[in-house]
Amino acid sequence: MYPFPALLILVVIPSISDGQHETTCNVVPKDQYIEVGSDTEIVCQTSCVPGKVFWTLNKIPVDESLSHITNSSHTVVTLRNFTHHIATLECSSVDTKQVLGGTTIRTYSKPGKISCILHYDKYFKSGVPQLLTCNWEHEIDSSLAVNYTVLIDPNQTKICNSTITTCTAKHSVDLWQNSTVTVRARTTAWEASSNTYTFNPYHILKMSRPEIKVTTFYDHLLVEWNRSPTYQKKCHCQVQYKKAVNESTPEWVLNKTLTSDQRGSNVTIEKLESCSNYKFAARCALDKAPWSEWTNKTILTKLNKSDVKLRLWRKVAEPEKNGIRKVHAMWVEIPSTCQGTFSYTIQQTPYPESTTGVNNKDHICGNSTCDVYVNQDAHRLHLTVFDNEHLLGEDSVYVPAIGESLPEVTDIQTSTLEGVILVRWKAPVPVGGYMIDYTHDGNHYYWKESKYTNATLFGLLDKKPYNITITPLFGDKTGHGTQVFQICSRIGDPGNVNISNVEPYDKSASVSWIVESQEACSGAVVNYTIFYYTQKGPLLNVTVDGTKQGILLEDLNPDTQYNVYVRATALTGATKSTDRVFETKTFDPRLMTLLSVCGSITIFLVLSLGLWCAIQWKKFKEKPVPNPGLSSVALWPSASSRKGACPFQPFSNPSESLCDMVYTEEAQRTSTSPLATDCNGNTASEQTEEYVVAPDPVKSVETQHLPSPGESTALIFSENSPTSPYRSQSSVETHTLRTSKQCKRVPVKQQEKALTVYVTLDMFEQGQGR
Ligand SMILES: *[C@@H]1O[C@H](CO)[C@@H](O)[C@H](O)[C@H]1NC(C)=O
Ligand SMILES: *[C@@H]1O[C@H](CO)[C@@H](O)[C@H](O)[C@H]1NC(C)=O
Ligand SMILES: *[C@@H]1O[C@H](CO)[C@@H](O)[C@H](O)[C@H]1NC(C)=O
Ligand SMILES: *[C@@H]1O[C@H](CO)[C@@H](O)[C@H](O)[C@H]1NC(C)=O
Ligand SMILES: *[C@@H]1O[C@H](CO)[C@@H](O)[C@H](O)[C@H]1NC(C)=O
Ligand SMILES: *[C@@H]1O[C@H](CO)[C@@H](O)[C@H](O)[C@H]1NC(C)=O
Ligand SMILES: *[C@@H]1O[C@H](CO)[C@@H](O)[C@H](O)[C@H]1NC(C)=O
Ligand SMILES: *[C@@H]1O[C@H](CO)[C@@H](O)[C@H](O)[C@H]1NC(C)=O
Ligand SMILES: *[C@@H]1O[C@H](CO)[C@@H](O)[C@H](O)[C@H]1NC(C)=O
Ligand SMILES: *[C@@H]1O[C@H](CO)[C@@H](O)[C@H](O)[C@H]1NC(C)=O
């Protein structure tokens, strides 16, 4: 309302200065804030137009009855019970429909729904509560900042300021009187006060948390709590408890009311899970007053005797020579989550228990197993578990006597399905049940009971062989166990394949491999597939059956690098070797080997020949020179008698026969004749052989500078030994020996024709002396 005159002046003054006073039109007041639900009046100045005006609120025409004309220049509209949060009001001329002016009207509300509580701060938990906290609700236009003030009677004392709808005051109220508070909201545009709120201090008094104590016993649990001692008034308390786990669990609430003179109380709780964490909480409240905060406590429950399930079982080893048997007793250990000092004791007693017998033995055992020794008689093992002195549980198991006639199961069949072993067997006689125990390492045993003649063994280690024993149970005794061995929980992949050798040739390669299976449960190889490929080539493969461990890869390219690997396939899976790289040869190495062997042999032969020739040459050079002075003349025998070879007795020296050998073909065929061998250190056959082999006059001329054979003369050796006394005949002979290839029969024939007398030389006379 108060901005109204100012605005009017502001509007009027420019109009006057314009000299258009009578034409001024306007709507006042502008930008009005009113309390929600209140009434307001808006004036339209209509000097600028003749005639009547009409109003619209948010473009909707306002009922004409609400509008009335004050005088010729002012029309007033009265809006009652205005609830619009924000609205636009416009004044228009009826004649021209022209908008003469407008204004916005906003509403505000006053704070409401005040509630206060009296409470304690963190440190003071008794006496009159020190703190008064009030909350209220307020709908506001968020564009304006609001300051709240809480005022308390008497005297409207300001006890706290806030910019939010809650406020805590350090203020002690008189507990014996009703109190009244008001909340005032103030912005730059408006101010609003709440209605008064009167309260009985006891009804808004929030007690401090109770003290709580939880004690666990073996078979129950006691929760005790004490309320704050200040008020001698009746109060209600609640005890809540639930299992402390992440997922939501059921929770229980116990209600208990304390009379004005009761300081505290307790409840007994049963049927809780053993060795579990439970959350306990307690809170209290005066009559009609708000609850205190919860007091929380987490407690680990004790082991309930009824939850102890020892499931005692035993494995009886083969008896030693003296009949003593080792019995491995085993049971389910008390979970490590349980608090306590647990002691396990095994007592062995003969069975049936003799009243007089005093040979009961106690064994202090570990947490889950115990080895005891019994003789060949039947026994019972008793297990007891104590937590300190408190007996928590007991169990017993029967150990049959050796050879005791007891039922046993037969025909055990097993099957494996995805890591689970199914066992079934034939029952001996009707029995109460069966104990199935199984182990994969002989140290760790698992056991379970079955009512039926079958069992499913879960939770097995993967690909491990299990030994399984089934023992019938009847009455308080057991029968004899029947075992099956090495049942795999799952058949695994075949063992590791390794390429052991690759032998590359030019167009093929032989590949061999080995399979190493460490595990007992690896699958049998059904087939092997050998994959091989070049850098750019396709992946080729060959498959062979599982019995083979080698293959010859064919149709390879020579001088090419190949990769090869082997995959072993079993019914349960496959494994593959690592890649092996090899390079094919340019030529077949076998051919190369053959060639090199042949080459070696050839070279050897050539070398041998060369050596032989050298030796021959050397020998020839060393041959003793005949002395012509010792020569004599004789008649050459006829052709027929010449066959006898060396018929000249005077020539007793066998070397002379050499001459004959030189000239007779027969000599080479009779090389073994005494004469032939006698002729020289060189065997006749060797000489004659050379004669036959290479009659090449041209060569010999070149190398020996010989004239044509037919011209053999004394001059022949003039070059080598100018002083040579030899005659042509002997020269020819000697010469042929020296140059093996030169040896010819041609000159001999000529000589045969030409000569009837031959000069023999006792040429070895000197040579023998040498
Ligand atoms: C008309 O009434 C308003 C108040 O209602 C007054 O201020 C104004 O002077 C009046 N005008 C005339 C011409 O009487
Ligand atoms: C407090 O107010 C209640 C009503 O709200 C009234 O019944 C009661 O008598 C008052 N107590 C005191 C002490 O004034
Ligand atoms: C609100 O309170 C603050 C500080 O107390 C003050 O600066 C501000 O001017 C107040 N605003 C109003 C609208 O009263
Ligand atoms: C305890 O009281 C609460 C309400 O105060 C109620 O909801 C609950 O059912 C009560 N519990 C019992 C066990 O009576
Ligand atoms: C222990 O078990 C028995 C039998 O189930 C039960 O009655 C008792 O309440 C349990 N004790 C606790 C503390 O859970
Ligand atoms: C038995 O269990 C306790 C705790 O439960 C542990 O401290 C102790 O070492 C265990 N003893 C053996 C032999 O495992
Ligand atoms: C299973 O029994 C066989 C035969 O008695 C034995 O050789 C093998 O060691 C046992 N294996 C295990 C894991 O006990
Ligand atoms: C075991 O035998 C019982 C009774 O014959 C049968 O109901 C159950 O299905 C069998 N379990 C398996 C896994 O064969
Ligand atoms: C190799 O054995 C597996 C498994 O039996 C089979 O599936 C596959 O066809 C065999 N491969 C060849 C090439 O025979
Ligand atoms: C082996 O090679 C043949 C073609 O020779 C092809 O069809 C087959 O798929 C290959 N096998 C594998 C396992 O790559």
Side-chain angles (χ1 to χ4, degrees):
M1 314 289 171
Y2 34 90
F4 178 68
L7 281 167
L8 196 60
I9 290 159
L10 278 173
V11 171
V12 168
I13 288 169
S15 306
I16 292 165
S17 65
D18 286 357
Q20 295 173 325
H21 176 64
E22 55 288 336
T23 60
T24 298
C25 286
N26 199 12
V27 172
V28 289
K30 297 283 185 195
D31 296 329
Q32 202 188 17
Y33 280 94
I34 60 168
E35 191 180 330
V36 63
S38 62
D39 306 339
T40 185
E41 279 188 353
I42 308 290
V43 178
C44 186
Q45 225 177 307
T46 60
S47 326
C48 61
V49 287
K52 289 169 101 181
V53 294
F54 69 92
W55 298 88
T56 55
L57 184 67
N58 285 345
K59 306 283 181 204
I60 297 163
V62 176
D63 191 348
E64 262 184 52
S65 64
L66 300 175
S67 172
H68 69 271
I69 299 161
T70 317
N71 54 34
S72 61
S73 63
H74 290 79
T75 301
V76 175
V77 69
T78 306
L79 302 172
R80 295 187 197 287
N81 195 10
F82 195 82
T83 52
H84 289 275
H85 181 61
I86 178 167
T88 307
L89 184 70
E90 283 174 335
C91 168
S92 309
S93 159
V94 172
D95 296 341
T96 62
K97 304 278 186 282
Q98 191 193 347
V99 178
L100 305 179
T103 183
T104 51
I105 305 166
R106 285 167 224 260
T107 56
Y108 62 84
S109 58
K110 55 186 181 186
K113 295 197 179 169
I114 303 169
S115 67
C116 296
I117 52 168
L118 274 169
H119 59 110
Y120 297 89
D121 70 13
K122 267 192 271 183
Y123 308 103
F124 300 98
K125 297 198 161 99
S126 58
V128 178
Q130 301 82 11
L131 301 177
L132 176 67
T133 296
C134 291
N135 296 285
W136 56 92
E137 286 176 10
H138 193 202
E139 273 180 38
I140 47 156
D141 181 346
S142 61
S143 66
L144 289 170
V146 190
N147 281 1
Y148 297 102
T149 307
V150 179
L151 307 147
I152 193 161
D153 274 348
N155 312 326
Q156 290 283 295
T157 318
K158 293 180 190 173
I159 56 167
C160 68
N161 293 312
S162 164
T163 52
I164 53 169
T165 60
T166 180
C167 191
T168 297
K170 271 203 165 162
H171 181 79
S172 304
V173 297
D174 182 355
L175 289 176
W176 304 104
Q177 279 188 22
N178 284 349
S179 290
T180 302
V181 294
T182 344
V183 177
R184 189 174 68 203
R186 181 178 277 170
T187 70
T188 46
W190 50 267
E191 185 183 307
S193 279
S194 71
N195 298 334
T196 58
Y197 163 65
T198 302
F199 55 85
N200 179 339
Y202 277 113
H203 293 173
I204 63 159
L205 196 155
K206 184 170 158 184
M207 299 177 81
S208 54
R209 300 156 194 254
E211 284 164 12
I212 182 172
K213 185 174 159 210
V214 184
T215 318
T216 56
F217 296 90
Y218 285 105
D219 51 357
H220 73 276
L221 189 139
L222 183 67
V223 185
E224 296 164 283
W225 72 96
N226 281 331
R227 61 155 156 172
S228 107
T230 313
Y231 317 105
Q232 304 290 308
K233 277 183 166 277
K234 183 174 92 168
C235 82
H236 312 278
C237 292
Q238 285 188 324
V239 173
Q240 184 197 61
Y241 61 96
K242 61 177 182 180
K243 232 180 134 179
V245 285
N246 286 337
E247 66 260 33
S248 63
T249 51
E251 72 176 31
W252 296 271
V253 179
L254 304 173
N255 297 326
K256 196 133 184 176
T257 300
L258 303 188
T259 57
S260 55
D261 50 0
Q262 261 184 318
R263 259 213 71 202
S265 185
N266 60 61
V267 288
T268 297
I269 299 172
E270 291 184 337
K271 299 209 167 55
L272 294 183
E273 279 178 41
S274 291
C275 310
S276 302
N277 277 311
Y278 275 88
K279 267 189 191 160
F280 292 88
R283 62 178 184 180
C284 295
L286 294 174
D287 227 359
K288 296 180 182 158
W291 285 110
S292 70
E293 301 293 321
W294 289 103
T295 307
N296 291 300
K297 202 123 201 172
T298 300
I299 288 292
L300 178 67
T301 55
K302 280 207 175 181
L303 180 60
N304 191 342
K305 188 177 171 178
S306 59
D307 289 336
V308 178
K309 298 273 188 293
L310 292 168
R311 297 172 53 225
L312 176 67
W313 188 237
R314 84 290 179 277
K315 292 294 290 179
V316 186
E318 289 301 307
E320 288 162 25
K321 282 188 200 114
N322 53 8
I324 299 295
R325 294 171 293 165
K326 181 177 163 184
V327 180
H328 182 71
M330 48 206 177
W331 56 90
V332 177
E333 189 183 347
I334 286 174
S336 59
T337 51
C338 292
Q339 275 181 332
T341 315
F342 305 110
S343 57
Y344 303 85
T345 311
I346 289 261
Q347 188 185 55
Q348 70 188 71
T349 58
Y351 185 93
E353 259 173 281
S354 56
T355 44
T356 54
V358 279
N359 58 346
N360 294 354
K361 283 190 206 153
D362 282 3
H363 305 265
I364 308 298
C365 299
N367 286 340
S368 65
T369 60
C370 204
D371 286 342
V372 301
Y373 293 85
V374 301
N375 61 19
Q376 67 276 8
D377 300 330
H379 280 82
R380 259 197 109 69
L381 302 183
H382 298 270
L383 171 71
T384 49
V385 187
F386 286 90
D387 178 12
N388 291 320
E389 297 297 297
H390 179 79
L391 177 66
L392 275 178
E394 48 193 331
D395 200 357
S396 70
V397 70
Y398 179 73
V399 179
I402 294 175
E404 190 176 346
S405 169
L406 289 168
E408 52 189 294
V409 307
T410 53
D411 199 15
I412 301 176
Q413 289 178 339
T414 61
S415 55
T416 305
L417 187 73
E418 285 163 7
V420 167
I421 298 179
L422 308 171
V423 203
R424 61 185 70 246
W425 56 87
K426 289 228 169 76
V429 287
V431 291
Y434 306 89
M435 187 65 90
I436 304 97
D437 65 74
Y438 45 107
T439 178
H440 65 282
D441 61 0
N443 296 321
H444 298 91
Y445 283 90
Y446 310 89
W447 65 104
K448 69 185 294 182
E449 232 181 295
S450 174
K451 280 200 179 80
Y452 309 112
T453 57
N454 64 25
T456 310
L457 311 183
F458 298 101
L460 307 177
L461 294 176
D462 201 21
K463 298 182 222 165
K464 289 278 187 243
Y466 277 85
N467 281 1
I468 304 170
T469 309
I470 293 147
T471 313
L473 308 171
F474 53 95
D476 60 348
K477 289 170 80 176
T478 69
H480 289 300
T482 311
Q483 264 196 300
V484 284
F485 301 113
Q486 307 279 333
I487 310 299
C488 282
S489 53
R490 192 159 72 86
I491 303 294
D493 297 339
N496 293 335
V497 197
N498 284 317
I499 294 180
S500 56
N501 191 35
V502 177
E503 189 75 53
Y505 307 117
D506 57 338
K507 288 181 179 166
S508 59
S510 106
V511 178
S512 53
W513 57 88
I514 48 171
V515 180
E516 292 162 342
S517 56
Q518 283 90 5
E519 290 176 25
C521 293
S522 57
V525 177
V526 177
N527 56 36
Y528 295 102
T529 308
I530 298 87
F531 293 90
Y532 56 105
Y533 57 98
T534 61
Q535 222 60 1
K536 53 189 173 183
L539 180 65
L540 301 168
N541 70 67
V542 195
T543 299
V544 296
D545 67 59
T547 58
K548 305 250 169 55
Q549 302 240 305
I551 192 179
L552 185 70
L553 301 175
E554 284 170 322
D555 298 330
L556 307 183
N557 296 326
D559 198 17
T560 309
Q561 185 174 299
Y562 279 88
N563 282 40
V564 63
Y565 65 88
V566 178
R567 188 177 70 191
T569 309
L571 288 174
T572 47
T575 53
K576 76 186 198 69
S577 74
T578 52
D579 266 30
R580 181 84 167 247
V581 179
F582 67 89
E583 206 162 309
T584 49
K585 303 278 181 353
T586 315
F587 304 107
D588 190 341
R590 290 166 294 189
L591 183 67
M592 299 301 289
T593 312
L594 193 66
L595 283 177
S596 61
V597 167
C598 290
S600 306
I601 290 170
T602 312
I603 289 167
F604 176 75
L605 285 176
V606 167
L607 284 176
S608 308
L609 186 63
L611 187 64
W612 183 82
C613 286
I615 290 167
Q616 289 304 309
W617 173 247
K618 199 168 173 228
K619 285 216 173 123
F620 179 80
K621 276 186 88 178
E622 285 169 357
K623 193 165 271 218
V625 177
N627 184 356
L630 298 171
S631 66
S632 60
V633 177
L635 272 173
W636 189 253
S638 69
S640 58
S641 65
R642 263 201 293 144
K643 286 193 174 174
C646 293
F648 306 103
Q649 294 308 313
F651 302 115
S652 57
N653 193 324
S655 63
E656 286 180 59
S657 64
L658 178 68
C659 310
D660 298 327
M661 296 311 295
V662 169
Y663 296 101
T664 55
E665 279 187 82
E666 290 86 341
Q668 60 180 308
R669 294 185 192 101
T670 58
S671 59
T672 51
S673 71
L675 274 175
T677 46
D678 270 354
C679 282
N680 199 322
N682 303 317
T683 63
S685 62
E686 278 176 332
Q687 291 166 18
T688 50
E689 204 174 87
E690 287 304 322
Y691 279 93
V692 174
V693 167
D696 185 349
V698 182
K699 254 191 180 169
S700 47
V701 168
E702 280 173 7
T703 52
Q704 304 297 332
H705 312 283
L706 277 176
S708 72
E711 292 169 351
S712 302
T713 64
L715 290 175
I716 287 171
F717 282 98
S718 60
E719 289 167 59
N720 291 336
S721 51
T723 56
S724 169
Y726 301 133
R727 289 165 63 176
S728 62
Q729 291 90 346
S730 57
S731 293
V732 170
E733 180 227 281
T734 311
H735 183 67
T736 48
L737 280 171
R738 291 168 94 189
T739 61
S740 54
K741 285 178 183 176
Q742 171 61 26
C743 290
K744 287 187 176 174
R745 279 160 296 190
V746 180
V748 173
K749 282 172 190 162
Q750 284 173 346
Q751 284 167 5
E752 265 184 86
K753 288 174 189 168
L755 302 174
T756 52
V757 176
Y758 192 80
V759 179
T760 58
L761 306 176
D762 194 4
M763 45 189 186
F764 293 105
E765 196 178 63
Q766 290 174 334
Q768 280 174 328
R770 209 168 54 113

